[in-house]
Amino acid sequence: DAAPPPPRHAPPATAASRPPAREGPAPSSEPDPPAGCSSPPAPHPAPPLGEQSLAELARGTPPALLGHSSGTPPRAAEPATRDVRTIVRCMSENVLAGVHCVFGGPADVLAGVARPPEVVLAERFGATIEATLSAKSTHLLLPPALLAPRALAQCRRTQEMLSHARSLGIEPTLHRVDLRWLLACVANWSHLPEAEWTTLSAGDPL
């Protein structure tokens, strides 16, 4: 019997017959971390900045310090709330501005240590309360008991004040009114007309 032919040797593989190499990540140039240690996570991309943040960056202020690193512009500050007492004072202090009052009558209302509450209230409404008449005096406040001309003539202290007003040259412009006019102005938050509260007009006999 004929012997089997010897096995043929496979031809060497050429470049065309080689299987394509698998594509993978490019080898890193950094050294591998030691065994048992993991590499640090990659940083997250920074969020986009808003127009307000860009403006702050232009001025050199880091947006993180401003509390809006996410790009959201800050909320506008709320207006400060005004105290009610401040509002009331601003509304009342000009009601009787320019009014300079002196209390007539048999007794000095301001002689005591403490000022009467009516006087304090009138001053809060802008009135100036004086102990004696001066060139700035505009009103002479008389108690209701002196509304009658005869009773007024019998009040020595009030007569002396009226004589003083004549010497100062303020008698024609001095309003001689019932002292309740002052309280009515405070109660109505308004400078009421003196004509409704006048006891004696200029030129009347004292």
Side-chain angles (χ1 to χ4, degrees):
D1 295 334
R8 292 184 176 181
H9 294 285
T14 61
S17 61
R18 292 177 183 173
R22 293 184 179 180
E23 295 183 0
S28 175
S29 59
E30 298 180 358
D32 295 335
C37 297
S38 60
S39 58
H44 296 284
L49 297 177
E51 296 180 0
Q52 182 68 22
S53 299
L54 293 178
E56 298 297 342
L57 282 177
R59 290 195 293 266
T61 305
L65 298 180
L66 301 175
H68 56 278
S69 58
S70 61
T72 304
R75 294 185 299 177
E78 297 181 359
T81 304
R82 297 181 62 184
D83 195 300
V84 175
R85 293 170 295 183
T86 304
I87 298 175
V88 173
R89 183 175 67 251
C90 294
M91 295 175 59
S92 62
E93 62 185 1
N94 294 323
V95 172
L96 296 175
V99 174
H100 294 256
C101 300
V102 178
F103 283 93
D108 186 3
V109 177
L110 305 179
V113 178
R115 300 172 73 83
E118 296 82 358
V119 174
V120 176
L121 186 60
E123 290 175 338
R124 291 181 179 178
F125 277 73
T128 301
I129 310 299
E130 302 170 334
T132 58
L133 288 173
S134 65
K136 295 182 179 180
S137 299
T138 59
H139 293 72
L140 177 61
L141 305 178
L142 301 175
L146 297 182
L147 293 180
R150 184 174 300 180
L152 183 62
Q154 296 176 356
C155 182
R156 181 178 179 180
R157 179 175 178 271
T158 304
Q159 290 297 319
E160 292 177 354
M161 298 179 73
L162 293 174
S163 299
H164 189 200
R166 186 182 300 108
S167 63
L168 292 173
I170 62 173
E171 181 187 8
T173 58
L174 183 65
H175 296 282
R176 289 170 279 185
V177 297
D178 183 351
L179 58 82
R180 291 175 293 183
W181 167 84
L182 186 64
L183 301 179
C185 292
V186 171
N188 291 274
W189 289 61
S190 176
H191 187 143
L192 300 178
E194 290 84 358
E196 301 178 3
W197 304 84
T198 301
T199 56
L200 289 175
S201 60
D204 288 344
L206 301 179

